[in-house]
């Protein structure tokens, strides 16, 4: 095992040991996690922006640089399907196993190891609220942050630079029925939901735009006609596509039973649909080619990189791990991915 990998795993072990599950997002500026980060970053100036409810941005800077690295260090909750202690890093033959090892504490560990290898200027923004879909920390940072020539967001891309990904829209539809005794028949909100979902999934765009119905809740008991049913859904449109026509089509399909509809979360695609943003991303590809860092195809998952791009900053997603391992029980990251990400981060840091 190489010295850099040993360093990375040492940092990753410490990071995994901190419970940063989101929800419940039980973090505050005094949490021991931040003491760990400060200890790993000697010579850095640090500050914490507290957006409330555990939405924190930890900024660490050394000198002045053109590049900002951003990594979220919150994780999804550990489920009962875990067969190991999720907060104790297990080192296998070719992988490290632990909650957040893939998504995305592995990237944070790579950054900490790379920062120790060079005295080059650096800027790291670690955030705690990505997994709950609020992105308060990044949004607050963008309101007052200095401008950077480029931003690197750590997410599981198998250590390949990605400059395009889908947007995300999450919404809730509530369908109404008429309460009554099931023996008499009548308008059931649950039946209307089943009809609506069946129709929606046959739309020509449903598969391509990753239409997903993630939660359905309604009714009271089997002998009662359901008076209400809530449906939570999501869409992931490609760059340049607007989700609004799709959402409007869903409203039409819901028909007269539609009682309310709300937007839970909307994140733009990377890049947003304007020529200047697309040009910035093309220039960023050239930057990576010049450093001999592999550039990959667009990915289907959404990241907070889109928020940086919308704010006018060239941004790429680059981090160890495979998205197929994110949010899974016994989550792991391959050593090869960690080493490749470390080398890429080190090139970017020393390039300035």
């Amino acid at each position: 095992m190489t010295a850099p990998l040993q360093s990375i795993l040492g940092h990753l072990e410490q990071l995994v040991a901190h419970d940063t599950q989101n929800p419940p997002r039980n973090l505050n500026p005094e949490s021991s996690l931040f003491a760990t980060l400060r200890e790993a970053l000697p010579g850095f100036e640090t500050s914490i922006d507290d957006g409330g409810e555990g939405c924190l941005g930890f900024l660490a800077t050394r000198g002045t640089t053109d590049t900002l690295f951003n990594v979220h260090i919150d994780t999804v909750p550990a489920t009962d399907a875990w067969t190991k202690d999720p907060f104790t890093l297990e080192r296998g033959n070719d992988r490290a196993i632990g909650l957040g090892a893939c998504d995305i504490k592995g990237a944070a560990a790579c950054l900490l190891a790379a920062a120790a290898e060079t005295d080059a200027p650096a800027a790291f923004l670690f955030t705690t609220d990505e997994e709950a879909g609020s992105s308060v920390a990044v949004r607050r940072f963008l309101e007052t942050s200095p401008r950077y020539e480029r931003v690197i967001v750590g997410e599981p891309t198998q250590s390949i630079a990605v400059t395009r990904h889908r947007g995300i829209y999450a919404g809730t539809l509530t369908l109404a029925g008429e309460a009554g005794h099931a023996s008499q028949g009548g308008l059931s909100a649950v039946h209307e939901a089943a009809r609506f979902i069946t129709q929606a999934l046959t739309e020509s765009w449903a598969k391509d735009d990753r239409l997903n119905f993630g939660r359905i809740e309604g009714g009271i008991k089997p002998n009662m006609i359901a008076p209400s049913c809530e449906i939570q859904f999501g869409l992931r449109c490609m760059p340049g596509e607007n989700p609004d026509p799709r959402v409007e089509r869903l409203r039409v399909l819901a028909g007269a039973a539609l009682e309310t509809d709300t937007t839970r979360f909307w994140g733009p695609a990377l890049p947003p649909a304007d020529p200047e943003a697309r040009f910035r991303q093309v220039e960023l590809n050239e930057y990576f080619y010049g450093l001999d860092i592999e550039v990959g195809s667009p990915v289907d998952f959404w990241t907070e990189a889109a928020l940086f791009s919308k704010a006018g900053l060239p941004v790429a997603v680059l981090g160890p791990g495979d998205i197929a391992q994110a949010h899974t029980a016994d989550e792991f990251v391959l050593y090869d991915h960690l080493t490749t990400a470390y080398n890429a981060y080190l090139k970017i840091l020393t390039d300035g």
Side-chain angles (χ1 to χ4, degrees):
M1 186 175 289
T2 65
L5 183 55
Q6 288 279 21
S7 176
I8 294 165
L9 293 177
H11 290 300
L12 184 54
E13 185 172 38
Q14 289 186 302
L15 292 172
V16 166
H18 291 284
D19 182 353
T20 59
Q21 295 176 96
N22 181 13
R25 204 162 62 226
N26 289 331
L27 292 170
N28 61 66
E30 304 306 316
S31 297
S32 59
L33 166 68
F34 302 114
T36 296
L37 291 173
R38 289 190 187 95
E39 184 178 348
L41 294 168
F44 279 73
E45 296 183 7
T46 65
S47 62
I48 297 179
D49 178 58
D50 187 354
E53 299 183 342
C55 300
L56 304 165
F58 179 92
L59 180 64
T61 59
R62 180 173 63 191
T64 302
T65 179
D66 294 330
T67 303
L68 172 73
F69 289 87
N70 165 237
V71 180
H72 74 84
I73 43 180
D74 56 323
T75 71
V76 295
T79 68
D80 293 338
W82 273 80
T83 65
K84 311 170 188 302
D85 179 356
F87 303 109
T88 300
L89 189 73
E90 180 174 310
R91 303 186 187 195
N93 291 331
D94 65 346
R95 65 194 61 186
I97 305 165
L99 183 60
C102 172
D103 188 10
I104 182 71
K105 291 182 176 181
C110 290
L111 280 177
L112 298 178
E117 186 64 22
T118 176
D119 59 2
F124 303 151
L125 174 66
F126 299 102
T127 59
T128 65
D129 65 340
E130 191 269 354
E131 292 294 359
S134 61
S135 300
V136 169
V138 167
R139 295 179 195 275
R140 284 172 62 90
F141 176 81
L142 288 170
E143 289 175 0
T144 59
S145 68
R147 303 295 292 181
Y148 291 91
E149 289 191 10
R150 68 194 67 87
V151 179
I152 311 298
V153 173
E155 289 286 4
T157 64
Q158 302 182 57
S159 302
I160 297 170
V162 171
T163 56
R164 298 180 71 225
H165 67 56
R166 292 176 182 265
I168 184 171
Y169 178 95
T172 300
L173 301 177
T174 302
L175 305 188
E178 296 177 2
H181 198 286
S183 66
Q184 301 302 299
L187 180 63
S188 165
V190 170
H191 294 182
E192 285 298 300
R195 173 197 60 77
F196 159 69
I197 291 172
T198 300
Q199 289 183 329
L201 290 175
T202 63
E203 290 287 300
S204 60
W205 48 267
K207 183 177 180 180
D208 287 344
D209 286 350
R210 307 297 195 267
L211 175 62
N212 179 64
F213 295 98
R215 182 180 175 89
I216 307 166
E217 184 174 8
I220 300 169
K221 58 180 184 173
N223 66 347
M224 291 183 66
I225 298 170
S228 181
C229 186
E230 181 184 276
I231 304 167
Q232 295 181 16
F233 70 95
L235 287 168
R236 295 175 184 266
C237 295
M238 288 293 290
E241 295 182 353
N242 187 336
D244 290 349
R246 308 304 194 210
V247 176
E248 179 57 32
R249 177 59 180 162
L250 292 178
R251 295 189 185 106
V252 171
L253 290 176
L258 179 62
E259 186 174 50
T260 63
D261 68 274
T262 57
T263 299
R264 297 172 59 85
F265 183 81
W266 177 77
L270 175 68
D274 73 78
E276 186 176 341
R278 289 195 293 270
F279 178 72
R280 288 195 299 266
Q281 296 304 94
V282 171
E283 285 191 319
L284 191 55
N285 286 344
E286 296 299 324
Y287 170 80
F288 288 122
Y289 295 144
L291 293 179
D292 196 26
I293 294 174
E294 183 178 356
V295 177
S297 302
V299 294
D300 291 333
F301 56 91
W302 185 82
T303 79
E304 290 178 326
L307 302 180
F308 289 98
S309 182
K310 187 179 179 183
L313 298 171
V315 58
V317 188
L318 195 170
D322 188 327
I323 194 64
Q325 288 302 318
H327 302 184
T328 64
D330 298 341
E331 171 187 351
F332 67 83
V333 60
L334 295 176
Y335 295 157
D336 284 349
H337 287 172
L338 291 171
T339 301
T340 302
Y342 165 86
N343 289 331
Y345 292 165
L346 193 56
K347 286 180 182 179
I348 296 168
L349 283 171
T350 54
D351 179 72

